Amino acid sequence: MSMPGMPGRGLAGMQGDTGGMSPQEQMMVKTIQGVMESCPGKTVMAGCMGFVLGGAFGLFMSSMSYDTPLTAAGQQLTNLPVREQLRRGFKDMGSRSFSSAKNFGIVGAIFSGTECCIEGFRAKNDMTNGIAAGCITGGVLGAKAGPQAAAIGCAGFAAFSTAIEYYLRMPSD
């Protein structure tokens, strides 16, 4: 671990002490770091993490929406045996969870890939990258519904990205 004022022992530059790693381990660390710093690697990671988070979010949200016996669908559901009620409930939870997982994964991959490409093109790491990536992501996701939806998606995602970037770049106390 590198500390200010101490000689570097970190893995980032692979300089100096190797921490007892064999040459094969050093190559493995270097390869993993290269993948994690590349735009395709970041895009895949963000898509996968979005998929996992979206699946958990979808599972939670689907478990919160249940039919009450006061509605017609709920009345029909309560007349079924318990095993059939559970089967239908779990099937619904699975399909909603998968749908949410796909959506979160797509949004994460598009945003992360776009932001990485913009950062590489501009050779800067500032708020503009995230804001532009948010606008492009929102525009791409809204494009199927027409130009007005694309513009609104662009503005909405850019505004959200601005808020997140501003929060993440605030100086810590």
Side-chain angles (χ1 to χ4, degrees), residues 59-79:
L59 186 65
F60 174 74
M61 293 305 288
S62 66
S63 70
M64 300 303 275
S65 67
Y66 56 88
D67 288 325
T68 64
L70 302 175
T71 64
Q75 191 67 304
Q76 185 182 18
L77 189 64
T78 56
N79 293 334

mmCIF file of all heavy atoms in Angstrom, residues 59-79:
data_model
loop_
_atom_site.group_PDB
_atom_site.id
_atom_site.type_symbol
_atom_site.label_atom_id
_atom_site.label_comp_id
_atom_site.label_asym_id
_atom_site.label_seq_id
_atom_site.Cartn_x
_atom_site.Cartn_y
_atom_site.Cartn_z
ATOM 1 N N LEU A 59 -36.364 -7.513 -8.394
ATOM 2 C CA LEU A 59 -36.873 -8.504 -7.456
ATOM 3 C C LEU A 59 -37.551 -7.824 -6.278
ATOM 4 O O LEU A 59 -38.659 -8.209 -5.869
ATOM 5 C CB LEU A 59 -35.726 -9.395 -6.973
ATOM 6 C CG LEU A 59 -36.093 -10.568 -6.095
ATOM 7 C CD1 LEU A 59 -36.932 -11.562 -6.870
ATOM 8 C CD2 LEU A 59 -34.831 -11.230 -5.565
ATOM 9 N N PHE A 60 -36.917 -6.796 -5.752
ATOM 10 C CA PHE A 60 -37.505 -6.057 -4.632
ATOM 11 C C PHE A 60 -38.807 -5.385 -5.040
ATOM 12 O O PHE A 60 -39.813 -5.483 -4.340
ATOM 13 C CB PHE A 60 -36.508 -5.013 -4.110
ATOM 14 C CG PHE A 60 -37.083 -4.121 -3.057
ATOM 15 C CD1 PHE A 60 -37.294 -4.589 -1.772
ATOM 16 C CD2 PHE A 60 -37.426 -2.813 -3.348
ATOM 17 C CE1 PHE A 60 -37.842 -3.771 -0.795
ATOM 18 C CE2 PHE A 60 -37.968 -1.989 -2.387
ATOM 19 C CZ PHE A 60 -38.182 -2.460 -1.105
ATOM 20 N N MET A 61 -38.792 -4.701 -6.177
ATOM 21 C CA MET A 61 -39.997 -3.976 -6.606
ATOM 22 C C MET A 61 -41.141 -4.931 -6.943
ATOM 23 O O MET A 61 -42.301 -4.629 -6.655
ATOM 24 C CB MET A 61 -39.678 -3.081 -7.809
ATOM 25 C CG MET A 61 -38.745 -1.942 -7.481
ATOM 26 S SD MET A 61 -39.306 -0.900 -6.119
ATOM 27 C CE MET A 61 -40.665 -0.057 -6.902
ATOM 28 N N SER A 62 -40.836 -6.073 -7.543
ATOM 29 C CA SER A 62 -41.908 -7.013 -7.869
ATOM 30 C C SER A 62 -42.470 -7.654 -6.608
ATOM 31 O O SER A 62 -43.651 -8.001 -6.566
ATOM 32 C CB SER A 62 -41.412 -8.086 -8.834
ATOM 33 O OG SER A 62 -40.447 -8.902 -8.218
ATOM 34 N N SER A 63 -41.662 -7.808 -5.583
ATOM 35 C CA SER A 63 -42.178 -8.375 -4.341
ATOM 36 C C SER A 63 -43.080 -7.384 -3.610
ATOM 37 O O SER A 63 -43.906 -7.783 -2.799
ATOM 38 C CB SER A 63 -41.032 -8.809 -3.432
ATOM 39 O OG SER A 63 -40.355 -7.680 -2.925
ATOM 40 N N MET A 64 -42.933 -6.105 -3.909
ATOM 41 C CA MET A 64 -43.762 -5.092 -3.264
ATOM 42 C C MET A 64 -45.107 -4.895 -3.969
ATOM 43 O O MET A 64 -46.022 -4.336 -3.393
ATOM 44 C CB MET A 64 -43.017 -3.748 -3.218
ATOM 45 C CG MET A 64 -41.732 -3.796 -2.452
ATOM 46 S SD MET A 64 -41.950 -4.345 -0.768
ATOM 47 C CE MET A 64 -42.370 -2.827 -0.004
ATOM 48 N N SER A 65 -45.215 -5.325 -5.208
ATOM 49 C CA SER A 65 -46.479 -5.147 -5.926
ATOM 50 C C SER A 65 -47.212 -6.481 -5.951
ATOM 51 O O SER A 65 -46.821 -7.416 -6.621
ATOM 52 C CB SER A 65 -46.215 -4.658 -7.349
ATOM 53 O OG SER A 65 -45.570 -5.653 -8.093
ATOM 54 N N TYR A 66 -48.226 -6.573 -5.181
ATOM 55 C CA TYR A 66 -49.018 -7.794 -5.132
ATOM 56 C C TYR A 66 -50.484 -7.413 -5.302
ATOM 57 O O TYR A 66 -50.905 -6.293 -5.028
ATOM 58 C CB TYR A 66 -48.796 -8.541 -3.815
ATOM 59 C CG TYR A 66 -49.072 -7.700 -2.595
ATOM 60 C CD1 TYR A 66 -50.341 -7.628 -2.053
ATOM 61 C CD2 TYR A 66 -48.053 -6.974 -2.006
ATOM 62 C CE1 TYR A 66 -50.592 -6.841 -0.942
ATOM 63 C CE2 TYR A 66 -48.291 -6.183 -0.895
ATOM 64 C CZ TYR A 66 -49.563 -6.130 -0.368
ATOM 65 O OH TYR A 66 -49.808 -5.351 0.722
ATOM 66 N N ASP A 67 -51.234 -8.368 -5.771
ATOM 67 C CA ASP A 67 -52.659 -8.127 -5.966
ATOM 68 C C ASP A 67 -53.396 -8.330 -4.655
ATOM 69 O O ASP A 67 -53.223 -9.335 -3.977
ATOM 70 C CB ASP A 67 -53.229 -9.087 -7.021
ATOM 71 C CG ASP A 67 -52.770 -8.727 -8.415
ATOM 72 O OD1 ASP A 67 -52.634 -7.521 -8.674
ATOM 73 O OD2 ASP A 67 -52.554 -9.638 -9.226
ATOM 74 N N THR A 68 -54.212 -7.357 -4.326
ATOM 75 C CA THR A 68 -55.032 -7.479 -3.129
ATOM 76 C C THR A 68 -56.324 -8.197 -3.488
ATOM 77 O O THR A 68 -56.754 -8.178 -4.641
ATOM 78 C CB THR A 68 -55.361 -6.089 -2.545
ATOM 79 O OG1 THR A 68 -56.154 -5.377 -3.488
ATOM 80 C CG2 THR A 68 -54.098 -5.322 -2.229
ATOM 81 N N PRO A 69 -56.958 -8.813 -2.541
ATOM 82 C CA PRO A 69 -58.212 -9.514 -2.828
ATOM 83 C C PRO A 69 -59.348 -8.563 -3.225
ATOM 84 O O PRO A 69 -60.402 -9.009 -3.630
ATOM 85 C CB PRO A 69 -58.552 -10.231 -1.522
ATOM 86 C CG PRO A 69 -57.360 -10.141 -0.663
ATOM 87 C CD PRO A 69 -56.492 -9.064 -1.190
ATOM 88 N N LEU A 70 -59.123 -7.250 -3.118
ATOM 89 C CA LEU A 70 -60.169 -6.295 -3.443
ATOM 90 C C LEU A 70 -60.323 -6.073 -4.949
ATOM 91 O O LEU A 70 -61.349 -5.581 -5.398
ATOM 92 C CB LEU A 70 -59.895 -4.960 -2.750
ATOM 93 C CG LEU A 70 -59.786 -5.026 -1.214
ATOM 94 C CD1 LEU A 70 -59.402 -3.673 -0.662
ATOM 95 C CD2 LEU A 70 -61.083 -5.516 -0.607
ATOM 96 N N THR A 71 -59.293 -6.423 -5.731
ATOM 97 C CA THR A 71 -59.373 -6.259 -7.181
ATOM 98 C C THR A 71 -59.868 -7.556 -7.819
ATOM 99 O O THR A 71 -59.837 -8.628 -7.195
ATOM 100 C CB THR A 71 -57.999 -5.903 -7.773
ATOM 101 O OG1 THR A 71 -57.116 -6.999 -7.559
ATOM 102 C CG2 THR A 71 -57.436 -4.636 -7.149
ATOM 103 N N ALA A 72 -60.293 -7.460 -9.068
ATOM 104 C CA ALA A 72 -60.789 -8.652 -9.766
ATOM 105 C C ALA A 72 -59.675 -9.671 -9.961
ATOM 106 O O ALA A 72 -59.872 -10.880 -9.768
ATOM 107 C CB ALA A 72 -61.383 -8.246 -11.105
ATOM 108 N N ALA A 73 -58.476 -9.192 -10.348
ATOM 109 C CA ALA A 73 -57.345 -10.110 -10.531
ATOM 110 C C ALA A 73 -56.930 -10.732 -9.207
ATOM 111 O O ALA A 73 -56.581 -11.913 -9.148
ATOM 112 C CB ALA A 73 -56.168 -9.369 -11.158
ATOM 113 N N GLY A 74 -56.966 -9.958 -8.152
ATOM 114 C CA GLY A 74 -56.622 -10.469 -6.830
ATOM 115 C C GLY A 74 -57.631 -11.485 -6.337
ATOM 116 O O GLY A 74 -57.270 -12.477 -5.711
ATOM 117 N N GLN A 75 -58.895 -11.254 -6.620
ATOM 118 C CA GLN A 75 -59.947 -12.202 -6.227
ATOM 119 C C GLN A 75 -59.761 -13.525 -6.955
ATOM 120 O O GLN A 75 -59.926 -14.585 -6.381
ATOM 121 C CB GLN A 75 -61.321 -11.587 -6.543
ATOM 122 C CG GLN A 75 -62.481 -12.333 -5.947
ATOM 123 C CD GLN A 75 -62.493 -12.264 -4.430
ATOM 124 O OE1 GLN A 75 -61.539 -12.632 -3.782
ATOM 125 N NE2 GLN A 75 -63.564 -11.805 -3.853
ATOM 126 N N GLN A 76 -59.421 -13.435 -8.238
ATOM 127 C CA GLN A 76 -59.181 -14.638 -9.033
ATOM 128 C C GLN A 76 -57.959 -15.387 -8.493
ATOM 129 O O GLN A 76 -57.957 -16.620 -8.447
ATOM 130 C CB GLN A 76 -58.970 -14.252 -10.493
ATOM 131 C CG GLN A 76 -58.821 -15.415 -11.426
ATOM 132 C CD GLN A 76 -58.565 -14.954 -12.857
ATOM 133 O OE1 GLN A 76 -58.182 -13.807 -13.087
ATOM 134 N NE2 GLN A 76 -58.761 -15.849 -13.808
ATOM 135 N N LEU A 77 -56.929 -14.654 -8.084
ATOM 136 C CA LEU A 77 -55.709 -15.264 -7.576
ATOM 137 C C LEU A 77 -55.948 -15.946 -6.230
ATOM 138 O O LEU A 77 -55.406 -17.022 -5.968
ATOM 139 C CB LEU A 77 -54.607 -14.204 -7.450
ATOM 140 C CG LEU A 77 -53.206 -14.686 -7.147
ATOM 141 C CD1 LEU A 77 -52.696 -15.552 -8.298
ATOM 142 C CD2 LEU A 77 -52.279 -13.526 -6.920
ATOM 143 N N THR A 78 -56.760 -15.359 -5.370
ATOM 144 C CA THR A 78 -56.993 -15.946 -4.042
ATOM 145 C C THR A 78 -57.824 -17.216 -4.111
ATOM 146 O O THR A 78 -57.824 -18.000 -3.162
ATOM 147 C CB THR A 78 -57.687 -14.934 -3.105
ATOM 148 O OG1 THR A 78 -58.887 -14.484 -3.709
ATOM 149 C CG2 THR A 78 -56.785 -13.777 -2.779
ATOM 150 N N ASN A 79 -58.535 -17.442 -5.208
ATOM 151 C CA ASN A 79 -59.332 -18.661 -5.350
ATOM 152 C C ASN A 79 -58.480 -19.854 -5.770
ATOM 153 O O ASN A 79 -58.965 -20.979 -5.750
ATOM 154 C CB ASN A 79 -60.465 -18.449 -6.368
ATOM 155 C CG ASN A 79 -61.494 -17.451 -5.856
ATOM 156 O OD1 ASN A 79 -61.651 -17.279 -4.656
ATOM 157 N ND2 ASN A 79 -62.182 -16.801 -6.774
#
